[in-house]
């Protein structure tokens, strides 16, 4: 039986990790945290939720994954500001490693072996 094509306001966004589909209340519920925690990581500029036409915060699945990582660090005793900084540094390191791999794949000489 073929799958039905989704219809409605979310029809084109069901697979989009960046689509702001979750309200603050639902996001907090899914993460097992409080809305205040989501506000705090927003104030620390770890994530910036989009706003609905009515001004309500909306979160994407990608943002929820970042918030879950922050919650994990905070649950281990890391202050929110430090957790946010750690996550930003982890993201920067991952991006640098990705760029280095692409650079090497393009045939660039390895600086560690050239003198």
């Amino acid at each position: 039986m073929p799958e039905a094509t989704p219809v409605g306001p979310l029809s084109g966004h069901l697979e989009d990790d960046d689509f702001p589909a979750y309200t603050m209340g639902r996001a907090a519920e899914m993460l097992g945290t409080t809305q205040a925690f989501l506000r705090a990581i927003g104030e620390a500029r770890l994530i910036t939720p989009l706003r609905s036409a009515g001004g309500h915060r909306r979160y994407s699945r990608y943002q929820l994954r970042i918030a879950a990582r922050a919650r994990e660090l905070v649950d281990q005793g890391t202050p929110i500001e430090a957790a946010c900084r750690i996550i930003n540094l982890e993201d920067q390191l991952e991006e640098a490693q990705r760029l280095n791999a692409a650079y090497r794949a393009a045939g660039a000489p390895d600086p560690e072996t050239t003198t």
Side-chain angles (χ1 to χ4, degrees), residues 18-41:
D18 295 318
F19 183 71
Y22 303 98
T23 64
M24 177 180 269
R26 180 69 179 131
E29 180 183 315
M30 290 171 68
L31 295 171
T33 191
T34 64
Q35 293 181 17
F37 176 80
L38 291 173
R39 280 189 215 96
I41 62 174

